[in-house]
Amino acid sequence: DQQVKQNSPSLSVQEGRISILNCDYTNSMFDYFLWYKKYPAEGPTFLISISSIKDKNEDGRFTVFLNKSAKHLSLHIVPSQPGDSAVYFCAATFSGGYNKLIFGAGTRLAVHP
Amino acid sequence: DAGITQSPRHKVTETGTPVTLRCHQTENHRYMYWYRQDPGHGLRLIHYSYGVKDTDKGEVSDGYSVSRSKTEDFLLTLESATSSQTSVYFCAISENYSGNTIYFGEGSWLTVV
């Protein structure tokens, strides 16, 4: 039973446009969410996070939105660049949980020139 | 980049042999983790450590053991490797036990033949 789901295995976007990656979770105890980017043959790189006390967090071209009632979060990348092409993982954890992360299966983003 | 070094980076071993993967950190972070990544599953937690000699199981711990005798080193051992343990293994570190960014190493590719 997957507690964190990324239902789109892949996404293709044109350079300069917005990329929207989605993530759903089932466990209402989760209160801290993170997005990681992963290039082939490298480790996951932290991108952005959000606490459940917020509904939005922004860092440059990256914005994460959290809808607690829907148990849904999304990552917006604006504008998308070819270097953003990677696999994006959504992860969740909860307070006092030793930062043990539950990951989604990932979404492969391809940004085309 | 977080100071995390994994060794070996690549290994091919035979079924039934013991294998040890090492994670070394230079950040003096208290919390360390071992994850494995498999297609369709994202990353899944194998074991984690919340201090020297303090370890606990994650969601896919069967067939694995860990040890942490020093703050900087976290070892993952496959006592008798099986083909189902062919995977990419990632070590991660975290400074505190909740609400912090978790940083990943570059991965160890293990093939069991």
Side-chain angles (χ1 to χ4, degrees):
Chain A
D1 182 27
Q2 282 191 303
Q3 298 185 69
V4 177
K5 297 180 183 179
Q6 294 178 256
N7 291 320
S8 298
S10 62
L11 176 68
S12 183
V13 171
Q14 193 170 14
E15 181 178 6
R17 303 273 188 162
I18 184 172
S19 295
I20 300 177
L21 296 94
N22 294 303
C23 179
D24 296 296
Y25 62 96
T26 58
N27 191 336
S28 57
M29 296 292 290
F30 290 145
D31 59 6
Y32 191 64
F33 304 89
L34 306 91
W35 284 94
Y36 285 85
K37 177 168 79 171
K38 187 181 180 304
Y39 293 119
E42 295 184 10
T45 302
F46 170 74
L47 204 52
I48 193 169
S49 62
I50 187 167
S51 165
S52 61
I53 62 173
K54 295 185 176 182
D55 53 18
K56 176 183 173 182
N57 190 25
E58 211 169 337
D59 184 1
R61 297 186 296 114
F62 303 92
T63 303
V64 56
F65 296 91
L66 175 61
N67 182 334
K68 290 185 289 293
S69 61
K71 294 191 178 69
H72 177 83
L73 64 156
S74 61
L75 174 68
H76 291 211
I77 307 173
V78 183
S80 301
Q81 301 173 353
D84 295 329
S85 297
V87 177
Y88 289 78
F89 290 100
C90 167
T93 185
F94 56 92
S95 298
Y98 293 103
N99 278 327
K100 293 181 290 182
L101 298 176
I102 305 297
F103 281 85
T107 296
R108 183 177 301 277
L109 173 66
V111 181
H112 300 287
Chain B
D1 288 345
I4 306 170
T5 304
Q6 292 186 226
S7 59
R9 294 292 314 280
H10 298 272
K11 185 173 182 65
V12 179
T13 192
E14 292 186 350
T15 299
T17 59
V19 177
T20 295
L21 306 180
R22 179 183 184 235
C23 177
H24 178 79
Q25 59 138 333
T26 59
E27 305 296 323
N28 200 36
H29 284 355
R30 178 177 175 182
Y31 300 88
M32 298 185 75
Y33 314 82
W34 277 107
Y35 287 84
R36 60 178 287 175
Q37 184 195 4
D38 304 289
H41 288 279
L43 285 83
R44 292 178 293 173
L45 181 65
I46 306 171
H47 281 279
Y48 66 101
S49 170
Y50 45 96
V52 174
K53 298 192 190 307
D54 291 323
T55 65
D56 206 347
K57 297 178 180 180
E59 58 181 307
V60 290
S61 59
D62 287 349
Y64 301 95
S65 62
V66 290
S67 65
R68 191 163 177 208
S69 58
K70 297 184 290 186
T71 298
E72 57 266 34
D73 289 327
F74 192 32
L75 304 181
L76 176 70
T77 297
L78 291 65
E79 301 290 348
S80 177
T82 67
S83 58
S84 65
Q85 293 176 312
T86 292
S87 187
V88 185
Y89 292 86
F90 290 100
C91 174
I93 65 174
S94 173
E95 187 171 11
N96 293 313
Y97 88 117
S98 186
N100 282 112
T101 299
I102 297 88
Y103 296 99
F104 284 82
E106 296 196 338
S108 293
W109 273 253
L110 177 67
T111 302
V112 183
V113 298

